[in-house]
Amino acid sequence: MTIFFMIFGDKTVYHVQAYLSIRSFQKQMKEHDRIVVITTHPEFYASSGTDVIKVTNENIKEWQGERNFFWRAKIKAIEYMSNQYPDDHLIYLDTDTFLYGSLDAMRALLDQGHGMMHLKEGHPSTMMTRSLRMWKQIAGKQYGGITMGMEHEMYNAGVVALPKEKAKSIASLALALCDGMLEDDVERIVIEQYSLSIALFEQTQLLECDNYIGHYWGNKPEWESLAYNLIANAHMKKMSLAEELEQLDFTRKDLPPIYIHHSSTGRRLKDTIDKLFKDKNQKYILSDNE
């Protein structure tokens, strides 16, 4: 099995998120499993215990395609990995994820030919704003030989797990779907996500995997703090990898929630208060000529 990430840019927080996710999978990996990081900044992974594939901004631009759609690169990365590791099941992960369930159980489902994505979100015809606009533009149309219908629900693409026998054909179909919709200038917000959802639905029995993998897009600050603490402890205490993995426990009762609904009214009130009562008397370290 090959587990992989795609991380562009030097914004530290994304690499910190990836560090936590990598360690969560390393706790359960078997001898022939591997983690691969596709990144423009391999220096962040010098001590990660992963394989690193360096890419350039030019590579990213090429993967975005003629229509310059950033998230098309996710499908291209899956296509690339399916060619690099044709004998492996593949699991693509967003950085803000972590494994808390059984990796062996996921492996067994992939062995049976199942595909997996993180969570079923519903059909875009029932959604609001941009997703609904996308659906109205493509309903009944054909892309990649597939007619867009009510059977094609949307899944969250924070996790995309592909059985090895189908990985190449899924990537090929998803790319055809994505490029077809881009050619028709469809609303762009979730094109790659919907393309992957349809391709996996058409070629596998598609399952949710949120009971194995957490995706904390709805509460990033607390999970990022946990990841920073993990890194600080490992570095300052000079922990071995085994010691690091030993301290990582996703059965703890005090873990932060993966999602928090923040009141929009509360946010507006806070913004108003911050504007009315601004911080004062800020002091800085002075330079020699001040």
Side-chain angles (χ1 to χ4, degrees), residues 30-237:
K30 301 295 192 211
E31 180 182 357
H32 298 295
D33 295 334
R34 67 171 64 84
I35 297 178
V36 177
V37 181
I38 301 171
T39 182
T40 50
H41 287 76
E43 63 273 14
F44 283 105
Y45 301 93
S47 62
S48 66
T50 67
D51 297 333
V52 178
I53 297 173
K54 183 178 180 179
V55 291
T56 64
N57 290 330
E58 289 71 28
N59 297 139
I60 298 165
K61 186 173 179 60
E62 180 183 348
W63 282 3
Q64 289 173 353
E66 294 179 359
R67 297 280 173 164
N68 196 32
F69 179 49
F70 179 81
W71 289 111
R72 182 181 185 271
K74 179 185 287 192
I75 302 175
K76 289 295 291 183
I78 292 172
E79 178 187 58
Y80 175 83
M81 294 297 287
S82 71
N83 288 317
Q84 290 291 111
Y85 302 99
D87 299 322
D88 289 3
H89 298 315
L90 299 178
I91 301 179
Y92 162 83
L93 297 162
D94 282 355
T95 56
D96 54 348
T97 58
F98 63 95
L99 177 69
Y100 72 93
S102 169
L103 186 58
D104 281 341
M106 292 187 69
R107 192 192 318 273
L109 291 170
L110 289 166
D111 286 341
Q112 295 166 24
H114 290 288
M116 286 173 272
M117 294 179 71
H118 184 249
L119 188 67
K120 185 189 295 186
E121 296 181 345
H123 196 274
S125 64
T126 67
M127 296 178 182
M128 302 295 288
T129 60
R130 297 179 68 184
S131 297
L132 178 58
R133 286 201 296 271
M134 178 199 72
W135 172 249
K136 289 179 177 179
Q137 291 172 304
I138 65 173
K141 291 188 177 181
Q142 191 173 95
Y143 302 103
I146 306 297
T147 301
M148 304 294 98
M150 294 303 295
E151 69 273 26
H152 296 127
E153 297 192 273
M154 180 88 72
Y155 286 72
N156 184 287
V159 183
V160 184
L162 308 95
K164 57 188 175 184
E165 297 85 0
K166 294 282 189 177
K168 285 185 180 181
S169 60
I170 290 168
S172 178
L173 177 55
L175 196 61
L177 290 161
C178 181
D179 285 347
M181 285 187 266
L182 288 172
E183 185 69 25
D184 279 355
D185 201 24
V186 168
E187 184 72 46
R188 287 185 167 211
I189 185 169
V190 287
I191 288 178
E192 94 294 340
Q193 181 170 308
Y194 200 37
S195 298
L196 286 164
S197 300
I198 295 169
L200 280 156
F201 171 82
E202 289 289 335
Q203 300 207 4
T204 72
Q205 184 178 345
L206 180 55
L207 303 174
E208 298 171 289
C209 61
D210 63 314
N211 54 333
Y212 302 109
I213 296 175
H215 189 194
Y216 54 86
W217 62 271
N219 186 24
K220 290 189 179 185
E222 288 190 83
W223 282 92
E224 288 164 0
S225 177
L226 189 153
Y228 277 112
N229 286 338
L230 175 69
I231 293 171
N233 269 284
H235 175 72
M236 297 176 75
K237 297 176 182 178

Side-chain angles (χ1 to χ4, degrees), residues 231-255:
I231 293 171
N233 269 284
H235 175 72
M236 297 176 75
K237 297 176 182 178
K238 294 185 177 180
M239 290 182 176
S240 66
L241 176 58
E243 289 171 331
E244 243 188 288
L245 297 181
E246 180 65 27
Q247 73 161 352
L248 195 59
D249 180 9
F250 290 107
T251 65
R252 288 166 36 197
K253 301 298 184 184
D254 61 341
L255 288 174

